[in-house]
Amino acid sequence: MSDEPSAPEPTPAPDISAALHALAVDARSPAPGTGADVRRRAGTRRRRRHAALVGGGAVAAAALVAGLVVGLGDDSGSRPAPPAAPTTSAGPTAPAATADLARRELSVAGRKLPLSSGRAKYPTKPGRMTVVAKHRSTKLSGQTVGLGETYDVYFHWVLELRDADGRTNYVVALTYDEKSVGKRDVTHGWLGLRAADAKWLYEKLSPGSVVTIEGKAPAVRS
């Protein structure tokens, strides 16, 4: 037998499986309530997650719609107006009727109406005039029509004309001397027509219509 001390026997290693099992037991917590409570809380969590997903989708959709509205515009007036079409300046209004004093004719709408203008002492002045009023029948003072202050005169189918300077003239039915219309100039400066022609012209022209007086009455033969 040897006198040397014997080496201590090694301590057996602890059982690892047993240690892990003990740790799991210590860390285990009791179940939170009954099985029904657990299922109820799980269902609540699922509903909340679903609501969050739906809400997030709605927000995203709203953002997408807003982006499209901004990009495409709407009909509320926020869309920039298209550029206006270029405008062209209108020229002078074309004559609705033209009185040719030399021919003793009034041309309108393809018709030629015989007329009588002012006699040599009271010639009708040429120019561009506009219809400013119409009178089926009206009384003009003798002074206005050049017959003095002695009496007034009634005329029918009267078109009242005015030029840019405010000068006034008339187209009337020359009922008191229709035989002179187209043959002689017998008025005091206005334009006289036969009654039927004066009525037709009265219905044809309206205020704003332009009447152009041209030329000069032919000289009276002695």
Side-chain angles (χ1 to χ4, degrees):
M1 174 179 271
S2 173
D3 294 331
E4 293 180 1
S6 60
E9 295 181 0
T11 305
D15 188 348
I16 296 177
S17 299
L20 292 176
H21 177 72
L23 180 61
V25 171
D26 293 339
R28 185 183 304 166
S29 58
T34 65
D37 293 336
V38 173
R39 287 191 295 272
R40 184 172 55 254
R41 281 193 289 270
T44 301
R45 284 194 296 270
R46 284 195 299 272
R47 286 193 294 272
R48 288 176 180 174
R49 284 196 298 269
H50 180 71
L53 290 174
V54 172
V59 171
L64 177 60
V65 172
L68 291 175
V69 170
V70 171
L72 300 179
D74 56 21
D75 295 331
S76 62
S78 61
R79 182 183 304 169
T87 57
T88 56
S89 57
T93 305
T98 300
D100 187 334
L101 302 183
R103 293 178 177 273
R104 296 192 179 105
E105 288 180 346
L106 181 69
S107 301
V108 56
R111 291 186 59 176
K112 295 184 181 297
L113 312 177
L115 65 79
S116 179
S117 64
R119 56 185 184 266
K121 188 176 181 180
Y122 306 103
T124 300
K125 295 182 180 180
R128 185 183 181 89
M129 310 195 79
T130 302
V131 177
V132 295
K134 297 169 61 172
H135 312 281
R136 293 173 63 90
S137 179
T138 187
K139 180 174 70 174
L140 300 177
S141 67
Q143 188 174 9
T144 298
V145 297
L147 299 177
E149 300 180 359
T150 305
Y151 56 90
D152 297 334
V153 182
Y154 275 94
F155 289 105
H156 302 284
W157 312 116
V158 177
L159 297 176
E160 185 175 342
L161 311 177
R162 191 168 300 154
D163 66 9
D165 297 327
R167 180 172 58 92
T168 302
N169 206 342
Y170 302 91
V171 180
V172 304
L174 199 63
T175 53
Y176 64 88
D177 194 1
E178 279 200 351
K179 292 181 180 181
S180 295
V181 176
K183 298 177 181 179
R184 293 184 299 276
D185 299 302
V186 296
T187 77
H188 205 84
W190 64 87
L191 302 178
L193 305 176
R194 293 178 298 199
D197 292 340
K199 179 181 179 182
W200 179 86
L201 186 68
Y202 177 92
E203 295 172 347
K204 189 72 176 177
L205 301 187
S206 302
S209 298
V210 175
V211 177
T212 299
I213 303 173
E214 301 176 343
K216 181 180 180 181
V220 179
R221 296 179 180 178
S222 59

